[in-house]
Amino acid sequence: MQDAFGGILNIFLIAVFLIIVEGILAVTVSYTKAFKMKNYVIASIEQYEGSGCFPTNEAGAAPVSDTACVQRIRKYAKHIAYSPANLKCWDDYTNVEGLFCYGEVKDDGSLKGQNTATNKYYRVITQVDISFPLVNRIMGLRFFQVSGDTRLIVLNTD
């Protein structure tokens, strides 16, 4: 009888170990997806120089988010199977179709010398998708966000 309980304990410990290892691997894969998505969004914003990558609102109309830049980002997200379940943006950031959040940071002139152009860069945030209910409740989701900044984008006002 004592050997039977020892066998059950061993099987239980092996099962717990495998669950922990699989959880770590799942978080690693999810983090990699979020990191790749952040890099792709930043590259797209820099390629389009911020034009058309964000929803625009024309005088009270519905937000227009079906631009070439957003379609490109959406296609890449589908390609890498990136779909965060619950993307929460910070206070001054805007959620774009549940894929990423962005915030615009204007330059005060210290980033690229004094000129007449408007300088700004964008901060992009993506969400690591974790589907472990206990981890979500204990640690919170903001801990598992990946953020990055674009290069300085110069918009001529002339």
Side-chain angles (χ1 to χ4, degrees):
M1 189 69 174
Q2 196 173 22
D3 291 337
F5 285 122
I8 292 173
L9 181 64
N10 285 340
I11 290 174
F12 177 75
L13 291 176
I14 290 172
V16 167
F17 176 75
L18 288 177
I19 289 172
I20 291 171
V21 169
E22 288 177 8
I24 291 171
L25 291 175
V27 168
T28 303
V29 168
S30 183
Y31 182 80
T32 303
K33 284 182 187 180
F35 194 81
K36 284 182 179 181
M37 186 67 183
K38 179 212 39 124
N39 286 342
Y40 193 80
V41 170
I42 288 174
S44 297
I45 291 170
E46 288 174 351
Q47 180 181 357
Y48 286 89
E49 294 181 349
S51 176
C53 292
F54 313 114
T56 58
N57 216 351
E58 298 286 331
V64 177
S65 63
D66 201 25
T67 61
C69 182
V70 174
Q71 287 177 356
R72 180 179 174 196
I73 292 169
R74 193 182 313 127
K75 183 178 177 183
Y76 184 74
K78 189 180 232 182
H79 172 72
I80 65 170
Y82 174 77
S83 60
N86 191 8
L87 179 63
K88 296 186 186 212
C89 298
W90 297 347
D91 293 336
D92 296 338
Y93 287 75
T94 305
N95 190 336
V96 179
E97 295 189 8
L99 295 175
F100 66 96
C101 300
Y102 77 94
E104 182 178 305
V105 181
K106 291 191 179 181
D107 180 23
D108 59 356
S110 62
L111 293 177
K112 194 171 178 169
Q114 303 294 331
N115 57 14
T116 61
T118 303
N119 300 329
K120 60 183 169 181
Y121 64 94
Y122 296 96
R123 181 162 290 136
V124 175
I125 300 171
T126 56
Q127 179 75 42
V128 177
D129 188 25
I130 299 173
S131 59
F132 297 118
L134 292 177
V135 174
N136 288 345
R137 289 187 188 127
I138 294 170
M139 294 186 165
L141 290 174
R142 284 197 175 180
F143 181 76
F144 295 109
Q145 290 183 336
V146 181
S147 66
D149 297 336
T150 63
R151 286 182 286 172
L152 188 65
I153 296 174
V154 179
L155 301 174
N156 289 326
T157 57
D158 298 335

